[in-house]
Amino acid sequence: MLVASLAFGSCNKEPDESNLYTFTGETVESFIQKDSDLTSFNYILSRVRLDRMMASYGQYTCYAPTNEGVRLYLDSLWNDPEAVVPHNSMTENSLEGLSDSLCNDIARYHLTNGLYSIIEMGGSGATISTMLGRPISSKVDSLGQTVLNEVSVIISEDNEVTNGLVHKVNRVVPRSSRLLGDTFERLEEFSIFSEALQRTGLADSVAQSSKNIVYTKPADCTDTNGSELYCPTECKVGYTIFAESDEVFRANGINSFDDLVQYANNVYANAPQWYDYMRELGLTVSTGNDYTNRFNALNMFVAYHILYASMAQDQLVFEDKAGVPAGTDKWNYVNGADPYDYYETMLPNTLMKIWEPQPGKTLYINRYRTFNTLTDEVGTQGNNHQVIEHGVVIERRDISAYNGYIHPISKPLVYNAQVPNGVLNERLRFEATTFLPEFINNGFRYLYMNEVSAMNGGGSGARLAFPTDFFDGVVCYNGEQSKLRYNIKGDYRAYQADAFQGWGQYDLAVKLPPVPSGIYEFRLFYSPMGHGGMMQFYYGTSKDVQKMIALSIPLDVRIQETDPRIGWTSFYEEDDLGIATDEAMRNRGYMRGPYSFCGHPGDDGDTKTTKNCRGDGVVTLRRILGRVNIKQSEDFWFRYKNVINDDSDLKWQLDFVEFVPISVLDNDQYSEDWY
């Protein structure tokens, strides 16, 4: 029994879902009923029976529009000259003239499953998840008022009730029904970029809003304790577009569409010199006027502005989130670490880096400093860095469309030689929820347990379950024997506080992000755990299982960190801060977890010693899987296979992977930092 308890002692804690709800006294519904200025909104709630939910257990935030705000909204629907359906399907200009579908959309867009106070919506703003599945953006205007989606002003804030908060707003919160291309056409300040988006045909490439597939729930959607998990049956699609305004273009000598064409021709004419994908496939850049050619210079320029994931500006890097339980926000980054992430763009097989050098401050695209993940000083990021390119600043402003966001940027954004040779010539750490865009486009990456529990009818909020065909970048070779799960952000020793994982007699592969061509050391982050599995890893340039190559020897996740086969020690108790142990662990194929993020937020300890993933009392590790020669023009599929045939309840987990260029790893001047 002692051995068993030790074996299970190093696993991530199971999430605590107790006390998610309270219920005494006045509720959201009774508050609305008592206010004579909210009768119209209460009518809308009652039409779709959401008044009953607002009178029940839960944790909700309600943005309740006044009667005058509802009246103005009804007028706008009835008199909308661009409505696809006359009067937006209203039968008359009155509350009674609203269809049930409109009532449902209005009601759910004004309700959330989390608590969002006025403070949490202030500062640089927040992205608020709604019951409609489409977010609201908040900001503080020049008068100090909190405004939702640029229109609705909160006029009575933080009205506390036993099952949540009520904010009164002066207008119905507007939600766009226009796709990204149509949204651009109505933004006069982006006329040059909008014309380029249309003439390249890329407006059609960002016209999708869902996969138009109804997914079948797996036969087994239960958690480890037997409780039922929430499992999606539909999948949304979305995009993020970074765009230069006409003013920004003019400041850079671009005054017309023709000027932009010439600018793109100048930048991309010699792209195969640094764009490995084109060189490897023998492609040349077109500078003609067929702008729909994917390797026309203008098309390349616009495509590099588009991501396959729909994100508001405060979702571009994982930081904190309004409306979450106390103690679970902004704890993941420690010891001076900065939030950053990499995303794939619509320019084939290219990445951009989004970095926030000071949390809560400016967001940059492709900021570049020398030796970024190398250090000249043990235990710090070092003093050997020089900023070569400050990067493209992302304005703190959300322009929302039905299927994504537009973010204004400070200067022209290009994929030039500095991106693969500088920005991306560092230790590349990819979090699973960033390269599987279904997590982002369906809002799962940003959810917390209380929100998931509400989606799940008050049941478990600890995890999500997924159909095996939900992700384009995941293939399960043995059907539902490979269970797909997602640990919701919370009390885990995991990068960005979440993890893509599952159980079963698994055999699956995940498509990893594209990187510039070269030789890389490939690593997997994991936590030793008694209920972990033993897995063999493979990689290949396609998901064809017959063509994959084995990586290293099988990894037994059940082996504890102090086992001589790994040799982990408490680095902060050693005179050399663990340098000798680091080398010994590397020789065995292991590394400590990063110094840059911490474990459970409630744990005692100092972030420089125990409360980080390099020295945490419950340990995380990186497994070195070997060196791989990667071509940017080829896909990279990473396969997990359970090699314990007599146990179907052991776990696999994909939190993050690292690709480290050999030029970084074998640097003879500096060493890789702990971060």
Side-chain angles (χ1 to χ4, degrees):
M1 291 179 62
L2 176 60
V3 171
S5 66
L6 289 173
F8 278 85
S10 291
C11 67
N12 284 337
K13 296 177 183 176
E14 285 296 299
D16 181 7
E17 296 185 81
S18 64
N19 301 318
L20 282 179
Y21 306 109
T22 58
F23 184 74
T24 56
E26 189 167 64
T27 65
V28 170
E29 173 58 18
S30 62
F31 179 92
I32 292 172
Q33 282 182 334
K34 287 169 55 178
D35 192 327
S36 61
D37 198 24
L38 300 176
T39 55
S40 294
F41 183 62
N42 197 45
Y43 169 87
I44 293 171
L45 289 175
S46 63
R47 276 276 298 272
V48 289
R49 299 187 176 184
L50 285 171
D51 56 333
R52 301 179 184 184
M53 178 185 289
M54 292 301 103
S56 65
Y57 294 88
Q59 285 186 316
Y60 309 109
T61 301
C62 174
Y63 302 93
T66 63
N67 293 340
E68 175 64 10
V70 173
R71 185 192 67 78
L72 291 171
Y73 185 67
L74 296 183
D75 284 346
S76 70
L77 291 178
W78 182 258
N79 298 306
D80 183 0
E82 298 179 354
V84 176
V85 178
H87 306 301
N88 287 288
S89 77
M90 292 177 66
T91 58
E92 60 180 63
N93 190 3
S94 68
L95 283 168
E96 293 74 15
L98 286 169
S99 65
D100 288 343
S101 177
L102 277 171
C103 286
N104 181 70
D105 287 358
I106 294 168
R108 290 185 179 275
Y109 198 55
H110 289 74
L111 300 172
T112 81
N113 288 312
L115 300 180
Y116 294 83
S117 70
I118 198 73
I119 292 176
E120 291 166 320
M121 291 183 288
S124 58
T127 301
I128 301 160
S129 301
T130 71
M131 289 186 185
L132 188 60
R134 296 175 56 190
I136 291 172
S137 296
S138 70
K139 72 171 188 178
V140 177
D141 67 12
S142 60
L143 300 176
Q145 304 173 118
T146 301
V147 184
L148 307 178
N149 284 3
E150 307 280 340
V151 171
S152 304
V153 178
I154 294 179
I155 57 175
S156 176
E157 63 198 41
D158 288 346
N159 296 289
E160 294 186 27
V161 291
T162 57
N163 62 344
L165 293 170
V166 180
H167 305 286
K168 286 178 66 173
V169 294
N170 69 341
R171 295 286 188 275
V172 169
V173 182
R175 59 196 188 285
S176 175
S177 59
R178 298 188 179 101
L179 299 175
L180 281 160
D182 292 335
T183 301
F184 259 115
E185 288 186 335
R186 290 165 173 79
L187 295 171
E188 294 182 359
E189 63 190 290
F190 294 95
S191 66
I192 299 174
F193 190 93
S194 177
E195 184 175 355
L197 187 70
Q198 295 294 333
R199 293 181 65 173
T200 56
L202 290 170
D204 295 333
S205 298
V206 294
Q208 191 176 3
S209 60
S210 74
K211 292 187 181 179
N212 297 318
I213 299 172
V214 177
Y215 292 92
T216 303
K217 292 178 65 173
D220 180 5
C221 277
T222 55
D223 204 348
T224 51
N225 60 6
S227 60
E228 191 76 6
L229 296 175
Y230 178 83
C231 181
T233 56
E234 61 178 4
C235 187
K236 298 174 185 174
V237 173
Y239 310 90
T240 297
I241 302 180
F242 301 101
E244 299 89 348
S245 67
D246 293 350
E247 181 180 0
V248 167
F249 275 143
R250 284 195 296 269
N252 289 273
I254 302 168
N255 298 295
S256 65
F257 173 79
D258 290 338
D259 287 348
L260 180 58
V261 170
Q262 187 58 53
Y263 177 85
N265 289 345
N266 292 340
V267 170
Y268 286 100
N270 298 314
Q273 294 179 10
W274 66 83
Y275 186 10
D276 301 324
Y277 180 96
M278 294 189 71
R279 183 179 63 258
E280 289 163 2
L281 295 179
L283 300 171
T284 57
V285 176
S286 166
T287 56
N289 58 8
D290 178 8
Y291 306 122
T292 62
N293 178 343
R294 291 307 306 272
F295 294 98
N296 172 275
L298 179 67
N299 196 297
M300 294 170 69
F301 175 87
V302 176
Y304 192 64
H305 288 64
I306 305 173
L307 307 183
Y308 291 99
S310 168
M311 294 176 286
Q313 51 85 15
D314 71 335
Q315 297 174 329
L316 293 168
V317 295
F318 170 65
E319 195 180 351
D320 60 350
K321 177 183 174 183
V324 303
T328 62
D329 59 334
K330 219 169 188 175
W331 55 265
N332 207 225
Y333 293 94
V334 296
N335 297 325
D338 304 323
Y340 66 90
D341 274 307
Y342 308 92
Y343 297 99
E344 186 173 357
T345 83
M346 202 167 277
L347 181 63
N349 286 21
T350 62
L351 296 172
M352 69 168 60
K353 180 180 181 180
I354 299 179
W355 186 7
E356 197 173 34
Q358 296 180 3
K361 302 296 183 181
T362 305
L363 286 161
Y364 296 92
I365 301 173
N366 292 345
R367 183 179 177 88
Y368 168 45
R369 66 177 189 179
T370 56
F371 307 114
N372 187 47
T373 53
L374 293 169
T375 183
D376 59 354
E377 184 177 28
V378 172
T380 74
Q381 294 184 60
N383 298 301
N384 53 319
H385 311 299
Q386 177 185 355
V387 176
I388 303 298
E389 169 58 55
H390 287 277
V392 177
V393 174
I394 303 170
E395 286 189 24
R396 289 286 184 176
R397 175 187 172 197
D398 292 328
I399 302 172
S400 62
Y402 182 75
N403 63 336
Y405 286 92
I406 300 163
H407 298 300
I409 53 178
S410 65
K411 62 181 181 180
L413 171 64
V414 295
Y415 183 77
N416 58 18
Q418 189 169 261
V419 179
N421 298 328
V423 176
L424 302 178
N425 187 33
E426 62 183 17
R427 177 186 58 231
L428 299 169
R429 181 176 296 158
F430 296 109
E431 218 268 347
T433 59
T434 63
F435 59 79
L436 295 173
E438 291 87 351
F439 281 111
I440 297 173
N441 290 328
N442 292 276
F444 301 143
R445 184 189 186 199
Y446 317 107
L447 290 177
Y448 283 78
M449 285 191 300
N450 59 324
E451 296 173 302
V452 176
S453 181
M455 292 164 53
N456 198 25
S460 175
R463 295 181 178 91
L464 298 176
F466 294 98
T468 56
D469 57 346
F470 188 79
F471 301 94
D472 291 343
V474 177
V475 57
C476 297
Y477 297 114
N478 56 356
E480 290 189 13
Q481 292 184 66
S482 298
K483 298 179 184 179
L484 306 184
R485 300 289 187 262
Y486 174 54
N487 276 16
I488 297 300
K489 289 191 186 300
D491 201 13
Y492 300 112
R493 281 176 177 78
Y495 188 52
Q496 301 186 3
D498 60 359
F500 184 36
Q501 62 167 207
W503 304 278
Q505 197 61 42
Y506 50 83
D507 187 359
L508 70 153
V510 180
K511 184 181 177 184
L512 298 186
V515 297
S517 296
I519 299 175
Y520 293 82
E521 181 172 273
F522 181 44
R523 306 168 181 165
L524 174 73
F525 174 83
Y526 77 99
S527 295
M529 57 186 75
H531 57 288
M534 179 183 287
M535 55 200 76
Q536 178 64 59
F537 301 112
Y538 305 81
Y539 80 100
T541 58
S542 76
K543 56 187 175 184
D544 185 345
V545 71
Q546 302 299 325
K547 297 181 179 179
M548 290 193 171
I549 301 170
L551 282 163
S552 188
I553 61 174
L555 171 65
D556 191 343
V557 180
R558 300 166 301 178
I559 297 175
Q560 297 303 292
E561 64 279 355
T562 54
D563 188 290
R565 287 170 286 183
I566 297 176
W568 180 93
T569 60
S570 301
F571 80 92
Y572 47 86
E573 296 178 351
E574 299 171 358
D575 291 340
D576 66 348
L577 296 179
I579 300 302
T581 311
D582 286 342
E583 185 63 30
M585 287 178 64
R586 274 197 67 89
N587 291 337
R588 301 182 189 103
Y590 293 91
M591 295 176 64
R592 291 181 168 92
Y595 191 58
S596 54
F597 66 97
C598 71
H600 302 291
D603 287 353
D604 294 330
D606 178 357
T607 60
K608 292 186 178 300
T609 55
T610 59
K611 198 176 178 183
N612 65 74
C613 285
R614 175 177 169 84
D616 214 324
V618 177
V619 175
T620 62
L621 297 169
R622 283 172 283 184
R623 173 66 169 170
I624 302 170
L625 295 175
R627 295 192 174 191
V628 290
N629 190 353
I630 297 178
K631 292 185 177 181
Q632 188 179 25
S633 58
E634 297 177 339
D635 293 337
F636 189 100
W637 286 83
F638 180 41
R639 178 187 176 198
Y640 287 69
K641 179 177 172 58
N642 184 358
V643 294
I644 303 177
N645 296 322
D646 58 351
D647 193 336
S648 62
D649 293 323
L650 297 181
K651 181 185 293 185
W652 65 270
Q653 182 161 303
L654 178 60
D655 187 0
F656 71 77
V657 296
E658 291 178 344
F659 288 96
V660 187
I662 295 305
S663 60
V664 172
L665 190 68
D666 294 342
N667 188 284
D668 58 6
Q669 185 177 6
Y670 304 118
S671 60
E672 185 180 351
D673 64 36
W674 292 354
Y675 285 72

